[in-house]
Short mmCIF file of all heavy atoms in Angstrom, two decimals:
data_model
loop_
_atom_site.label_atom_id
_atom_site.label_comp_id
_atom_site.label_asym_id
_atom_site.label_seq_id
_atom_site.Cartn_x
_atom_site.Cartn_y
_atom_site.Cartn_z
N THR A 1 13.16 41.84 -18.90
CA THR A 1 13.77 40.51 -18.96
C THR A 1 14.92 40.50 -19.99
O THR A 1 15.99 39.96 -19.71
CB THR A 1 12.70 39.46 -19.34
OG1 THR A 1 11.68 39.50 -18.36
CG2 THR A 1 13.29 38.07 -19.44
N VAL A 2 14.69 41.08 -21.13
CA VAL A 2 15.75 41.17 -22.16
C VAL A 2 16.92 41.94 -21.61
O VAL A 2 18.08 41.51 -21.73
CB VAL A 2 15.22 41.84 -23.46
CG1 VAL A 2 16.34 42.10 -24.45
CG2 VAL A 2 14.13 40.99 -24.11
N SER A 3 16.67 43.07 -21.03
CA SER A 3 17.73 43.91 -20.47
C SER A 3 18.54 43.18 -19.41
O SER A 3 19.77 43.18 -19.43
CB SER A 3 17.12 45.20 -19.89
OG SER A 3 18.12 46.03 -19.39
N ALA A 4 17.85 42.53 -18.49
CA ALA A 4 18.55 41.80 -17.42
C ALA A 4 19.37 40.64 -18.00
O ALA A 4 20.52 40.42 -17.59
CB ALA A 4 17.55 41.27 -16.40
N PHE A 5 18.82 39.93 -18.96
CA PHE A 5 19.53 38.78 -19.57
C PHE A 5 20.80 39.27 -20.28
O PHE A 5 21.84 38.66 -20.18
CB PHE A 5 18.61 38.04 -20.53
CG PHE A 5 19.23 36.87 -21.18
CD1 PHE A 5 19.46 35.69 -20.48
CD2 PHE A 5 19.61 36.89 -22.52
CE1 PHE A 5 20.05 34.59 -21.07
CE2 PHE A 5 20.20 35.80 -23.12
CZ PHE A 5 20.43 34.63 -22.39
N GLU A 6 20.68 40.39 -20.99
CA GLU A 6 21.86 40.91 -21.71
C GLU A 6 22.95 41.40 -20.75
O GLU A 6 24.12 41.47 -21.15
CB GLU A 6 21.44 42.04 -22.65
CG GLU A 6 20.64 41.55 -23.82
CD GLU A 6 20.24 42.63 -24.78
OE1 GLU A 6 20.28 43.83 -24.43
OE2 GLU A 6 19.85 42.28 -25.92
N LYS A 7 22.58 41.68 -19.53
CA LYS A 7 23.56 42.10 -18.52
C LYS A 7 24.08 40.93 -17.70
O LYS A 7 24.79 41.10 -16.73
CB LYS A 7 22.92 43.13 -17.59
CG LYS A 7 22.62 44.44 -18.26
CD LYS A 7 21.91 45.41 -17.32
CE LYS A 7 21.55 46.69 -18.06
NZ LYS A 7 20.70 47.55 -17.25
N GLY A 8 23.72 39.71 -18.14
CA GLY A 8 24.24 38.51 -17.49
C GLY A 8 23.30 37.89 -16.47
O GLY A 8 23.68 36.94 -15.79
N GLY A 9 22.10 38.42 -16.38
CA GLY A 9 21.12 37.87 -15.45
C GLY A 9 20.55 36.54 -15.93
O GLY A 9 20.67 36.18 -17.10
N ALA A 10 19.97 35.83 -15.00
CA ALA A 10 19.37 34.54 -15.33
C ALA A 10 18.03 34.73 -16.04
O ALA A 10 17.37 35.76 -15.88
CB ALA A 10 19.15 33.73 -14.05
N ALA A 11 17.66 33.74 -16.82
CA ALA A 11 16.35 33.72 -17.48
C ALA A 11 15.94 32.27 -17.64
O ALA A 11 16.78 31.38 -17.79
CB ALA A 11 16.43 34.40 -18.85
N LEU A 12 14.65 32.07 -17.61
CA LEU A 12 14.11 30.72 -17.84
C LEU A 12 14.48 30.23 -19.24
O LEU A 12 14.57 31.03 -20.18
CB LEU A 12 12.60 30.72 -17.70
CG LEU A 12 12.02 31.07 -16.33
CD1 LEU A 12 10.51 31.21 -16.42
CD2 LEU A 12 12.41 30.03 -15.31
N THR A 13 14.67 28.95 -19.37
CA THR A 13 15.00 28.37 -20.67
C THR A 13 13.92 28.70 -21.69
O THR A 13 14.24 29.01 -22.85
CB THR A 13 15.15 26.84 -20.55
OG1 THR A 13 16.18 26.57 -19.60
CG2 THR A 13 15.52 26.20 -21.87
N THR A 14 12.69 28.68 -21.28
CA THR A 14 11.59 28.99 -22.21
C THR A 14 11.69 30.43 -22.69
O THR A 14 11.38 30.72 -23.85
CB THR A 14 10.21 28.75 -21.59
OG1 THR A 14 10.13 29.48 -20.35
CG2 THR A 14 9.98 27.28 -21.33
N THR A 15 12.11 31.34 -21.83
CA THR A 15 12.27 32.74 -22.20
C THR A 15 13.42 32.91 -23.20
O THR A 15 13.27 33.63 -24.20
CB THR A 15 12.51 33.61 -20.95
OG1 THR A 15 11.41 33.44 -20.06
CG2 THR A 15 12.69 35.08 -21.29
N VAL A 16 14.52 32.26 -22.92
CA VAL A 16 15.66 32.32 -23.83
C VAL A 16 15.27 31.73 -25.20
O VAL A 16 15.62 32.28 -26.24
CB VAL A 16 16.89 31.57 -23.25
CG1 VAL A 16 18.03 31.52 -24.24
CG2 VAL A 16 17.33 32.24 -21.95
N ASP A 17 14.52 30.65 -25.18
CA ASP A 17 14.08 30.04 -26.43
C ASP A 17 13.18 31.00 -27.23
O ASP A 17 13.28 31.06 -28.47
CB ASP A 17 13.31 28.75 -26.17
CG ASP A 17 14.22 27.61 -25.74
OD1 ASP A 17 15.46 27.71 -25.94
OD2 ASP A 17 13.68 26.62 -25.23
N LYS A 18 12.33 31.75 -26.54
CA LYS A 18 11.48 32.73 -27.23
C LYS A 18 12.32 33.81 -27.89
O LYS A 18 12.05 34.22 -29.04
CB LYS A 18 10.49 33.36 -26.25
CG LYS A 18 9.39 32.45 -25.79
CD LYS A 18 8.50 33.15 -24.79
CE LYS A 18 7.39 32.25 -24.28
NZ LYS A 18 6.54 32.94 -23.30
N MET A 19 13.33 34.31 -27.18
CA MET A 19 14.18 35.34 -27.76
C MET A 19 14.98 34.79 -28.93
O MET A 19 15.07 35.45 -29.98
CB MET A 19 15.11 35.91 -26.69
CG MET A 19 14.39 36.71 -25.63
SD MET A 19 15.48 37.57 -24.47
CE MET A 19 16.08 36.23 -23.46
N LYS A 20 15.50 33.58 -28.78
CA LYS A 20 16.26 32.95 -29.86
C LYS A 20 15.38 32.75 -31.09
O LYS A 20 15.79 33.04 -32.21
CB LYS A 20 16.84 31.62 -29.38
CG LYS A 20 17.69 30.92 -30.38
CD LYS A 20 18.28 29.63 -29.79
CE LYS A 20 19.14 28.91 -30.79
NZ LYS A 20 19.71 27.68 -30.21
N HIS A 21 14.17 32.27 -30.87
CA HIS A 21 13.23 32.04 -31.97
C HIS A 21 12.94 33.34 -32.72
O HIS A 21 12.91 33.36 -33.95
CB HIS A 21 11.95 31.40 -31.44
CG HIS A 21 10.95 31.13 -32.52
ND1 HIS A 21 11.08 30.08 -33.40
CD2 HIS A 21 9.81 31.77 -32.85
CE1 HIS A 21 10.06 30.09 -34.25
NE2 HIS A 21 9.27 31.10 -33.93
N ALA A 22 12.71 34.41 -31.98
CA ALA A 22 12.42 35.71 -32.59
C ALA A 22 13.59 36.16 -33.49
O ALA A 22 13.39 36.67 -34.58
CB ALA A 22 12.13 36.75 -31.53
N LEU A 23 14.81 35.94 -33.02
CA LEU A 23 15.99 36.32 -33.80
C LEU A 23 16.14 35.43 -35.03
O LEU A 23 16.43 35.91 -36.12
CB LEU A 23 17.24 36.23 -32.93
CG LEU A 23 17.29 37.22 -31.76
CD1 LEU A 23 18.38 36.84 -30.79
CD2 LEU A 23 17.47 38.66 -32.26
N LEU A 24 15.93 34.12 -34.86
CA LEU A 24 16.04 33.21 -35.99
C LEU A 24 14.99 33.44 -37.07
O LEU A 24 15.24 33.22 -38.24
CB LEU A 24 15.98 31.76 -35.49
CG LEU A 24 17.19 31.27 -34.70
CD1 LEU A 24 16.91 29.90 -34.10
CD2 LEU A 24 18.44 31.24 -35.56
N GLU A 25 13.82 33.91 -36.65
CA GLU A 25 12.72 34.16 -37.58
C GLU A 25 13.10 35.20 -38.64
O GLU A 25 12.49 35.24 -39.71
CB GLU A 25 11.48 34.62 -36.82
CG GLU A 25 10.72 33.51 -36.17
CD GLU A 25 9.95 32.66 -37.18
OE1 GLU A 25 9.11 33.22 -37.90
OE2 GLU A 25 10.23 31.46 -37.25
N THR A 26 14.09 36.03 -38.36
CA THR A 26 14.49 37.04 -39.33
C THR A 26 15.17 36.42 -40.55
O THR A 26 15.25 37.05 -41.60
CB THR A 26 15.50 38.04 -38.70
OG1 THR A 26 16.73 37.36 -38.41
CG2 THR A 26 14.93 38.70 -37.46
N GLY A 27 15.68 35.21 -40.39
CA GLY A 27 16.42 34.56 -41.47
C GLY A 27 17.82 35.10 -41.63
O GLY A 27 18.55 34.70 -42.54
N ARG A 28 18.24 35.98 -40.74
CA ARG A 28 19.57 36.59 -40.84
C ARG A 28 20.51 36.17 -39.72
O ARG A 28 21.70 36.42 -39.79
CB ARG A 28 19.45 38.11 -40.83
CG ARG A 28 18.75 38.66 -42.06
CD ARG A 28 18.65 40.17 -42.04
NE ARG A 28 19.91 40.79 -41.72
CZ ARG A 28 20.02 41.99 -41.10
NH1 ARG A 28 18.95 42.66 -40.76
NH2 ARG A 28 21.21 42.49 -40.84
N VAL A 29 19.97 35.55 -38.68
CA VAL A 29 20.77 35.20 -37.50
C VAL A 29 21.07 33.72 -37.51
O VAL A 29 20.19 32.90 -37.77
CB VAL A 29 20.03 35.58 -36.20
CG1 VAL A 29 20.79 35.14 -34.98
CG2 VAL A 29 19.81 37.10 -36.16
N ARG A 30 22.34 33.37 -37.24
CA ARG A 30 22.76 31.98 -37.12
C ARG A 30 23.50 31.80 -35.80
O ARG A 30 24.38 32.59 -35.46
CB ARG A 30 23.71 31.59 -38.26
CG ARG A 30 23.08 31.61 -39.61
CD ARG A 30 24.07 31.26 -40.72
NE ARG A 30 24.98 32.39 -40.95
CZ ARG A 30 26.31 32.35 -40.79
NH1 ARG A 30 26.90 31.25 -40.40
NH2 ARG A 30 27.05 33.40 -41.03
N PHE A 31 23.16 30.78 -35.05
CA PHE A 31 23.87 30.42 -33.83
C PHE A 31 24.79 29.26 -34.19
O PHE A 31 24.35 28.25 -34.74
CB PHE A 31 22.88 30.01 -32.72
CG PHE A 31 22.07 31.16 -32.23
CD1 PHE A 31 20.88 31.49 -32.84
CD2 PHE A 31 22.49 31.93 -31.17
CE1 PHE A 31 20.11 32.55 -32.39
CE2 PHE A 31 21.75 33.01 -30.70
CZ PHE A 31 20.55 33.32 -31.31
N ASP A 32 26.09 29.40 -33.87
CA ASP A 32 27.07 28.40 -34.28
C ASP A 32 27.79 27.84 -33.04
O ASP A 32 28.97 28.05 -32.86
CB ASP A 32 28.06 29.04 -35.25
CG ASP A 32 28.97 28.01 -35.87
OD1 ASP A 32 28.69 26.80 -35.82
OD2 ASP A 32 30.03 28.41 -36.42
N GLY A 33 27.07 27.17 -32.21
CA GLY A 33 27.64 26.50 -31.04
C GLY A 33 28.57 27.40 -30.25
O GLY A 33 28.21 28.51 -29.89
N ASP A 34 29.79 26.93 -30.03
CA ASP A 34 30.77 27.68 -29.25
C ASP A 34 31.39 28.83 -30.02
O ASP A 34 32.12 29.63 -29.44
CB ASP A 34 31.88 26.75 -28.76
CG ASP A 34 31.39 25.73 -27.77
OD1 ASP A 34 30.35 25.98 -27.11
OD2 ASP A 34 32.02 24.66 -27.64
N ASN A 35 31.12 28.90 -31.31
CA ASN A 35 31.74 29.94 -32.14
C ASN A 35 30.98 31.27 -32.11
O ASN A 35 31.47 32.26 -32.62
CB ASN A 35 31.88 29.46 -33.58
CG ASN A 35 32.84 28.31 -33.70
OD1 ASN A 35 33.88 28.31 -33.06
ND2 ASN A 35 32.48 27.32 -34.49
N GLY A 36 29.79 31.28 -31.57
CA GLY A 36 29.07 32.53 -31.40
C GLY A 36 27.84 32.66 -32.26
O GLY A 36 27.27 31.69 -32.74
N VAL A 37 27.47 33.91 -32.44
CA VAL A 37 26.27 34.27 -33.17
C VAL A 37 26.69 35.10 -34.38
O VAL A 37 27.53 35.98 -34.27
CB VAL A 37 25.31 35.11 -32.29
CG1 VAL A 37 24.09 35.55 -33.06
CG2 VAL A 37 24.94 34.35 -31.04
N PHE A 38 26.08 34.81 -35.51
CA PHE A 38 26.38 35.54 -36.73
C PHE A 38 25.13 36.17 -37.27
O PHE A 38 24.07 35.55 -37.30
CB PHE A 38 27.00 34.59 -37.77
CG PHE A 38 28.26 33.95 -37.29
CD1 PHE A 38 28.22 32.72 -36.63
CD2 PHE A 38 29.48 34.56 -37.48
CE1 PHE A 38 29.39 32.13 -36.17
CE2 PHE A 38 30.65 33.98 -37.02
CZ PHE A 38 30.61 32.76 -36.36
N VAL A 39 25.26 37.41 -37.76
CA VAL A 39 24.14 38.12 -38.38
C VAL A 39 24.56 38.44 -39.81
O VAL A 39 25.54 39.14 -40.04
CB VAL A 39 23.80 39.43 -37.63
CG1 VAL A 39 22.65 40.15 -38.29
CG2 VAL A 39 23.49 39.13 -36.16
N ASP A 40 23.79 37.86 -40.72
CA ASP A 40 24.06 38.10 -42.14
C ASP A 40 23.59 39.48 -42.55
O ASP A 40 22.58 39.98 -42.06
CB ASP A 40 23.37 37.06 -43.02
CG ASP A 40 23.91 35.65 -42.77
OD1 ASP A 40 25.12 35.51 -42.55
OD2 ASP A 40 23.09 34.71 -42.80
N ASP A 41 24.31 40.07 -43.48
CA ASP A 41 23.93 41.37 -44.03
C ASP A 41 22.61 41.24 -44.73
O ASP A 41 22.32 40.25 -45.41
CB ASP A 41 25.01 41.81 -45.02
CG ASP A 41 24.81 43.21 -45.57
OD1 ASP A 41 23.73 43.81 -45.32
OD2 ASP A 41 25.73 43.72 -46.23
N VAL A 42 21.77 42.23 -44.59
CA VAL A 42 20.43 42.21 -45.20
C VAL A 42 20.51 42.00 -46.71
O VAL A 42 19.64 41.41 -47.32
CB VAL A 42 19.64 43.49 -44.83
CG1 VAL A 42 20.20 44.71 -45.52
CG2 VAL A 42 18.18 43.31 -45.17
N ASN A 43 21.59 42.44 -47.35
CA ASN A 43 21.72 42.30 -48.79
C ASN A 43 22.15 40.89 -49.21
O ASN A 43 22.12 40.56 -50.38
CB ASN A 43 22.76 43.31 -49.32
CG ASN A 43 22.28 44.73 -49.12
OD1 ASN A 43 21.11 45.02 -49.31
ND2 ASN A 43 23.18 45.60 -48.70
N GLN A 44 22.55 40.06 -48.22
CA GLN A 44 22.99 38.70 -48.54
C GLN A 44 21.89 37.68 -48.36
O GLN A 44 22.05 36.53 -48.69
CB GLN A 44 24.17 38.30 -47.62
CG GLN A 44 25.41 39.12 -47.88
CD GLN A 44 26.51 38.77 -46.91
OE1 GLN A 44 26.30 38.09 -45.91
NE2 GLN A 44 27.69 39.25 -47.19
N VAL A 45 20.74 38.09 -47.81
CA VAL A 45 19.68 37.15 -47.54
C VAL A 45 18.80 36.99 -48.76
O VAL A 45 18.57 37.84 -49.52
CB VAL A 45 18.84 37.63 -46.32
CG1 VAL A 45 17.67 36.71 -46.09
CG2 VAL A 45 19.74 37.66 -45.11
#
């Protein structure tokens, strides 16, 4: 599912939310609307 989604495939909203939540849980990932996704350096957290 992750592989297909990253290649532009469709995914259920609940599945996308699960992936987003897992990334946000790191405390290093920020989603900024239309501006994209940002990953903070591990030394900045």
